[in-house]
Amino acid sequence: MTAATGAGPRSSGPLTGTEFAELDRLIFEDDDWWAMSGADQAALRHRFVAAAVAHHLEHNADYRRFAEASGFALAELDDPAGLLRVPQFPTRMFKRVEVRSVPARDCDVFKSSGTSGVQSRVWRDEPSLERLAGSLRPEGDIWRTLYGDVDLDDDGEMVHLGPHRHEADGVWISYLMTLVEMFAATRSYVHDGVLRLQDAVRDVGSALADGRFVCVAGPPVFVAELLRHMSDSSQKLSAGDRMAVITGGGWKKDEATRLDPDELRSLAMDTFGLASASQVRDVFNQVELNTAFIECEHHRKHVPPWVEVIVRDPHDLSPVPAGHTGLMSYLDPTARSYPCFLLAEDFGAAETDACPCGRRGTTVDIHRRMRTSSHQGCALRLAETVRTA
């Protein structure tokens, strides 16, 4: 995945369009997205996606030609069923074409970590970056079940097992994970290509001793490295309910190097002395997608109500029933600077049943990448380029 050519999200001026103004209110002001009924969420998605499709058809000549070649007309979105027919760019299109709906001068460029030598290039303007950050907003109900009533600004410490965005060297997940700075005071522990494990252990222990709530955040491979380092040196903590672990990025390069989420949670509970496995959460995102999907206390990844997830049969791209495995695809209206209507290279499944946590809407389970894909994910690329100390 990637890093930007510039700094993080900046403040933008008012956005135009009734639907986009409502979308921004939902993202930035609503603290409990999943309390609304499934029908209400679907109605919102229909309106938001229809408005975004109209915007990109008007402002992006490549997308307009792609839609025309697909035989798609905007009038099809008068019916919510038309969402299934919205033209979706294969994510590898971002390796070949400059996919952009606003002037380049208004954007930062984010680059994927593809191992084939050809990187995806994703153009994000300020509103797009702000909305991405908004999908991770710490005031949200799904986060409060992680840290409770703790005031993270005053009593929290964020331990980021990755580089600061200025040292990210093209790795998108590093940029994304630096958005945890919204939660609490943050320190990064990858400097000059070295993951400073002992420094992280020391600072976690010190923060806990001071009575602070500690959140360890980073790619699963780096969290595993920290836990193994502590195990090998017989170091354990007794954090109880004063700690959380947030992972983001790829869990496996291939079956031989796969990290098992259950095993990682168990090791984290034992090594950090956590009170519950619910204190370990994962976040899903990819460089082309402009929204993050956050795991709840039951380890199901919840899709914010503005994103339409369509799981498709890989043979004919027809939609598959809920719970069945297929190619993941997304209609994400939050990106103003590029059409975030994506046919991904991941196999997975989506459910719309009630999650045990009580939140309504769609949840996803990402199983694996297409075997023909050479893109191994930026968290894994980062692991190949960083040493430990």
Side-chain angles (χ1 to χ4, degrees), residues 36-49 80 83 305-308 361-362:
M36 69 181 74
S37 70
D40 287 343
Q41 291 188 36
L44 282 176
R45 282 196 298 275
H46 176 221
R47 293 196 354 259
F48 293 155
V49 172
L83 292 175
W306 55 82
V307 178
E308 181 79 7
T362 303

Side-chain angles (χ1 to χ4, degrees), residues 19-82:
E19 286 81 9
F20 293 125
E22 185 177 354
L23 173 61
D24 287 335
R25 284 194 296 272
L26 179 65
I27 294 173
F28 299 114
E29 298 177 20
D30 193 331
D31 289 346
D32 190 0
W33 298 321
W34 295 283
M36 69 181 74
S37 70
D40 287 343
Q41 291 188 36
L44 282 176
R45 282 196 298 275
H46 176 221
R47 293 196 354 259
F48 293 155
V49 172
V53 170
H55 165 79
H56 293 295
L57 287 174
E58 179 180 356
H59 296 284
N60 190 303
D62 286 325
Y63 187 68
R64 185 164 58 249
R65 285 191 293 269
F66 181 56
E68 291 170 351
S70 304
F72 174 81
L74 186 61
E76 295 184 56
L77 289 178
D78 291 345
D79 182 344

